[in-house]
Amino acid sequence: DQQVKQNSPSLSVQEGRISILNCDYTNSMFDYFLWYKKYPAEGPTFLISISSIKDKNEDGRFTVFLNKSAKHLSLHIVPSQPGDSAVYFCAASRSNAGKSTFGDGTTLTVKP
Amino acid sequence: DTAVSQTPKYLVTQMGNDKSIKCEQNLGHDTMYWYKQDSKKFLKIMFSYNNKELIINETVPNRFSPKSPDKAHLNLHINSLELGDSAVYFCASSQAGGARGNEQFFGPGTRLTVL
């Protein structure tokens, strides 16, 4: 049972436009959601997170939206830059469980 | 300074051999993890240690044995390597109760190739 899903394996956008990456989850016990960014031959790095008590968190060009009723979150990148090209992983955690469950990743390509 | 380091970065070995991957974190975190990223790029947790104690052991063959000599180190030993063990292995660490909800810091990965 895959509890965190990223249904789009890839996304291509033009530089300067908005990138929207989506993530769905099934376990209503998750109380924190995180996005990680991964470049080739490197480990994932934390990008932004959101607590389940919020519906939006913004950090510069990156905004994460959480829709708990739909068990859906999305990452918006505005404006997109070529350096944003990477694999983006969505993850969900329960604060007392000591682990995160990761989605399959979405490869974002930002074209100059 | 590298926060989470892994050695070696690349490991090529024959089927049936035993190998180890080392991981060290200098962040003072109390929890460390091992993940496997297979050819389909899925990132699956294998083990988690908190203060040197095993707290998560996902469905992993018992040929894989993690060892945590102290809070800063979590090594992965693999016995009788099989072709299907070929993957990238990531070590990570986190601090319980972190403000950003189990934010993890990952090492650069070890690419294991079993021939």
Side-chain angles (χ1 to χ4, degrees):
Chain A
D1 173 35
Q2 194 170 353
Q3 298 187 57
V4 179
K5 287 186 182 179
Q6 295 174 253
N7 290 319
S8 298
S10 62
L11 174 68
S12 182
V13 300
Q14 206 66 35
E15 181 178 6
R17 307 295 289 265
I18 185 171
S19 296
I20 300 177
L21 296 94
N22 294 303
C23 179
D24 296 295
Y25 62 97
T26 58
N27 189 341
S28 57
M29 299 298 290
F30 289 137
D31 54 9
Y32 247 101
F33 303 90
L34 307 93
W35 285 95
Y36 290 82
K37 177 179 177 179
K38 185 185 179 304
Y39 292 119
E42 295 183 11
T45 56
F46 171 82
L47 189 58
I48 191 170
S49 65
I50 187 167
S51 160
S52 60
I53 63 173
K54 295 186 174 181
D55 54 19
K56 176 182 174 181
N57 188 26
E58 193 172 349
D59 183 1
R61 297 185 297 114
F62 302 92
T63 303
V64 56
F65 295 93
L66 175 62
N67 183 333
K68 282 195 299 184
S69 60
K71 293 192 177 69
H72 176 84
L73 62 152
S74 60
L75 174 68
H76 293 212
I77 306 174
V78 182
S80 301
Q81 299 173 355
D84 296 329
S85 298
V87 178
Y88 289 79
F89 287 98
C90 168
S93 68
R94 289 166 51 193
S95 44
N96 62 351
K99 72 169 186 176
S100 292
T101 302
F102 283 78
D104 302 341
T106 297
T107 300
L108 172 66
T109 303
V110 180
K111 298 179 180 177
Chain B
D1 277 347
T2 303
V4 182
S5 59
Q6 295 178 227
T7 53
K9 192 165 175 63
Y10 299 96
L11 185 53
V12 181
T13 188
Q14 298 287 331
M15 252 189 342
N17 284 350
D18 303 338
K19 289 293 179 186
S20 292
I21 307 171
K22 295 185 177 180
C23 178
E24 176 181 3
Q25 55 97 1
N26 62 8
L27 298 166
H29 288 166
D30 58 7
T31 306
M32 296 185 71
Y33 312 81
W34 276 108
Y35 288 86
K36 179 180 180 181
Q37 186 179 37
D38 61 21
S39 57
K40 294 184 180 178
K41 308 302 182 187
F42 300 157
L43 200 60
K44 299 290 188 197
I45 189 167
M46 301 172 68
F47 301 102
S48 173
Y49 269 70
N50 178 267
N51 285 316
K52 302 195 300 174
E53 291 197 18
L54 180 66
I55 59 170
I56 293 172
N57 183 350
E58 297 292 307
T59 307
V60 177
N62 57 14
R63 297 181 295 104
F64 290 79
S65 53
K67 285 187 172 50
S68 181
D70 55 58
K71 265 185 14 173
H73 296 84
L74 181 61
N75 303 322
L76 183 65
H77 189 76
I78 316 170
N79 289 328
S80 303
L81 278 155
E82 300 178 357
L83 294 176
D85 298 332
S86 295
V88 181
Y89 292 83
F90 288 101
C91 176
S93 72
S94 70
Q95 181 62 37
R100 301 201 282 202
N102 196 39
E103 172 193 354
Q104 295 179 27
F105 292 76
F106 284 80
T110 295
R111 181 173 292 276
L112 171 65
T113 303
V114 182
L115 303 174

